[in-house]
Amino acid sequence: MSRKKQIAATDPNRPRLTTSAMIASLAGEDQRISPAPFGRALVELGRTRPEILGLTADLAKYTDLHIFAQAYPDRFYQMGMAEQLLMLAAAGLAHEGFVPFVTTYAAFASRRTFDFISQGIAEEGLPVKICCALPGLTTGYGPSHQATEDLAIFRGMPDLVILDPCDALDIEQAVPQIAAHPGPVYMRLLRGNVPLVLDEYDYRFELGRAKLLRDGADVLLISSGFMTMRALETAKLLAGDRVDVAVLHCPTIKPLDTATILQEVRRKPRLVIVAENHSVIGGLGEAVATLLLTEGAIPPRFRQVALPDAFLDAGALPTLHERYGISATAMAARIKAWLG
């Protein structure tokens, strides 16, 4: 190791990334947070909706469903480490008139239970709400738990609504709306101390709608999930370099709000970038690119900020986000390079 690296590694003032950083909140150091928005929203919904149930595959604590279990123990089902059983049990309960909310990790739902969701839930049009933690690169525990391809897997399933909310406000407002939707829903879930950012932009979640959070003349950033938070941070960073960035938040991946996306792309000639916490293959980026190509709305330039088509490393999240280019600083540097 070089002398410079030795000094950096032993510097007592340098923040030390420990194992706990792998499962830490995505919130920045002084960022506002809201604890367990999914669990709290589901408890509130359950007060007036006795048909709402909660089911999980041994992950109630790690998906914030334990809050619902404490409030309504007679409406909570712990299915053990049996994700396929989890999905078919939810399907059976839905057939009997209940509205089950099922939770597990996104990697397990997409990889282990696809056929059971397709045949037992989606084909039947059942109102099962599949809410899954650790989407994309939100854990440092390596490829076994990093669901970097879940959107690609699920986008091809007919009649399945797919959501990728940004923050606590998005999640809280999405829960009652997906409960009201008559069919199946897959929602990526942020858990624990979830950042709160969208309330600063006069935002309200609407199922199937994209929302322009800020306008800008140079760049149009179309984003979903926590990458909308990163997009807003990036826009503030670039404002210091006189780069004007618009941010269009798309929490509903399917059905895509094609009208709003086309309207914003056609409104003025700008560099169009899709930013997502997902593989560069099969997610929001490809959905938007296909839309623009088929509708003839070709922007001057189109780029993607996404995870590589690879099994990612394990490690602390801040390090991984910087390495794979989805931190605000990494995004800002890439955008300046693309603008020349």
Side-chain angles (χ1 to χ4, degrees):
M1 181 184 292
S2 71
R3 178 64 179 162
K4 185 177 180 181
K5 287 183 179 178
Q6 285 178 331
I7 293 172
T10 57
D11 180 0
N13 297 317
R14 180 174 176 266
R16 191 175 176 192
L17 299 176
T18 63
T19 303
S20 63
M22 293 186 184
I23 55 174
S25 170
L26 290 165
E29 210 167 300
D30 296 310
Q31 192 167 31
R32 293 176 304 124
I33 58 169
S34 179
F38 169 72
R40 290 188 294 106
L42 199 58
V43 167
E44 183 61 30
L45 184 66
R47 296 186 198 283
T48 56
R49 298 280 301 274
E51 73 277 17
I52 300 292
L53 306 178
L55 293 82
T56 191
D58 202 39
L59 288 172
K61 180 180 177 181
Y62 300 101
T63 57
D64 293 337
L65 192 63
H66 66 292
I67 298 174
F68 182 87
Q70 292 164 1
Y72 310 110
D74 59 333
R75 288 195 260 162
F76 170 75
Y77 298 88
Q78 174 58 269
M79 307 306 294
M81 293 184 185
E83 290 83 4
Q84 296 166 349
L85 173 63
L86 170 70
M87 297 304 172
L88 290 188
L93 289 165
H95 268 295
E96 296 302 313
F98 295 100
V99 179
F101 277 72
V102 305
T103 72
T104 182
Y105 288 160
F108 303 159
S110 57
R111 298 173 192 162
R112 295 182 184 176
T113 70
F114 180 89
D115 191 45
F116 293 80
I117 295 172
S118 178
Q119 297 294 302
I121 295 173
E123 187 176 338
E124 298 290 317
L126 296 173
V128 177
K129 319 306 173 182
I130 304 163
C131 304
C132 294
L134 304 189
L137 190 51
T138 51
T139 176
Y141 288 133
S144 64
H145 286 61
Q146 292 165 349
T148 58
E149 76 283 47
D150 59 327
L151 300 181
I153 290 172
F154 281 127
R155 277 183 60 227
M157 187 178 292
D159 300 325
L160 180 68
V161 168
I162 301 173
L163 302 184
D164 190 16
C166 166
D167 72 342
L169 179 66
D170 234 4
I171 293 170
E172 289 174 358
Q173 295 184 354
V175 166
Q177 292 191 38
I178 65 175
H181 177 70
V185 175
Y186 173 73
M187 183 171 78
R188 292 176 126 199
L189 184 62
L190 302 175
R191 59 159 299 274
N193 290 325
V194 179
L196 182 60
V197 295
L198 294 180
D199 59 330
E200 298 179 11
Y201 296 88
D202 192 28
Y203 172 85
R204 289 199 62 81
F205 173 85
E206 290 184 67
L207 189 64
R209 294 294 305 276
K211 297 293 179 71
L212 187 69
L213 302 180
R214 57 173 289 161
D215 205 357
D218 302 315
V219 178
L220 173 62
L221 255 173
I222 303 171
S223 55
S224 68
F226 78 77
M227 288 304 290
T228 292
M229 178 176 71
R230 293 283 181 259
L232 292 167
E233 294 168 356
T234 300
K236 291 178 181 178
L237 287 175
L238 290 173
D241 293 321
R242 298 184 180 180
V243 177
D244 199 11
V245 178
V247 176
L248 179 66
H249 176 44
C250 295
T252 306
I253 306 297
K254 184 181 178 184
L256 196 63
D257 185 355
T258 57
T260 300
I261 293 171
L262 288 171
Q263 173 184 305
E264 287 304 315
V265 170
R266 285 170 168 159
R267 192 159 59 87
K268 60 181 75 172
R270 295 175 283 187
L271 167 63
V272 174
I273 303 170
V274 177
E276 59 183 321
N277 169 39
H278 185 269
S279 166
V280 71
I281 293 177
L284 178 64
E286 285 197 357
V288 172
T290 299
L291 169 67
L292 300 185
L293 181 63
T294 55
E295 293 296 325
I298 309 300
R301 282 172 291 178
F302 177 88
R303 297 289 185 271
Q304 286 181 263
V305 172
L307 300 171
D309 177 28
F311 293 110
L312 307 185
D313 294 335
L317 283 179
T319 302
L320 295 178
H321 286 192
E322 192 69 29
R323 175 174 300 176
Y324 293 115
I326 62 171
S327 68
T329 53
M331 287 175 62
R334 294 173 73 182
I335 290 171
K336 284 194 287 186
W338 286 331
L339 290 172

